[in-house]
Amino acid sequence: MFISHLSHELKNPISVIASQVEVTLQKREKKADYVQTLKSILDDTKGLNDVTNNLMQLSRITLENNDVEFKFLRIDEMIWQAKEELLKNHPEYKIVVEIENLPEDENELLIVGNESLLKTAFKNLMDNGCKYSPDKLVELRMKYQERMFCSRY
């Protein structure tokens, strides 16, 4: 199943990169056109690198942790850490996180989960939101309500 998922995730970006190179090599274009094509290839390569990193992380978690470790985590910290990690690799993204009605007792923000998997999930959601929005912007608004979070994009 992992190999099938890996093949699917890698096939599309590699095909796009190859076709861009082939088309560029067939044409005699202006220098500006070559620069634009190279920038596009670089973006695709960065995206491919992100996919590879995510798949390697998934593989590592699967191999190292036959039993996934669950512990108490603060959901707000997971979201902030995921945002920071994503912005390191994609400074062009704009991610707005607002959490309303934070409880006075921070223990009420605790959830049981796996830190690595949760951060990966939050990063993937924010990354996809930015990647497919015209202005590379994601707004995540959460509202704390009686030991339950509600989120909305």
Side-chain angles (χ1 to χ4, degrees), residues 99-115:
I99 303 175
E100 298 176 22
N101 301 335
L102 281 174
E104 289 182 26
D105 181 5
E106 67 182 42
N107 287 326
E108 293 187 38
L109 294 170
L110 293 175
I111 61 169
V112 176
N114 177 275
E115 183 174 1

Side-chain angles (χ1 to χ4, degrees), residues 2-39:
F2 176 75
I3 297 211
S4 173
H5 187 66
L6 175 68
S7 299
H8 175 75
E9 291 295 325
L10 296 178
K11 184 178 179 182
N12 191 34
I14 290 171
S15 296
V16 169
I17 291 169
S19 65
Q20 287 176 322
V21 171
E22 287 173 357
V23 168
T24 301
L25 289 173
Q26 290 175 0
K27 296 182 178 180
R28 291 187 164 224
E29 299 182 24
K30 300 176 189 171
K31 182 179 177 178
D33 294 334
Y34 285 115
V35 169
Q36 183 62 32
T37 300
L38 288 173
K39 285 181 180 178

Side-chain angles (χ1 to χ4, degrees), residues 43-61:
D43 288 343
D44 291 339
T45 304
K46 286 179 180 178
L48 186 56
N49 189 45
D50 290 344
V51 167
T52 304
N53 287 338
N54 287 340
L55 289 169
M56 285 175 46
Q57 184 178 19
L58 177 63
S59 174
R60 191 186 83 240
I61 290 168

Side-chain angles (χ1 to χ4, degrees), residues 83-139:
K83 175 187 171 184
E84 287 176 27
E85 289 176 18
L86 185 60
L87 290 176
K88 281 181 191 174
N89 295 324
H90 298 282
E92 72 277 12
Y93 286 177
K94 298 172 216 100
I95 302 170
V96 177
V97 177
E98 292 180 16
I99 303 175
E100 298 176 22
N101 301 335
L102 281 174
E104 289 182 26
D105 181 5
E106 67 182 42
N107 287 326
E108 293 187 38
L109 294 170
L110 293 175
I111 61 169
V112 176
N114 177 275
E115 183 174 1
S116 181
L117 292 174
L118 277 172
K119 275 200 276 187
T120 298
F122 288 136
K123 282 194 303 191
N124 285 340
L125 289 169
M126 289 184 242
D127 185 38
N128 286 336
C130 288
K131 204 182 291 182
Y132 298 109
S133 72
D135 52 2
K136 298 190 183 297
L137 170 68
V138 166
E139 295 182 20

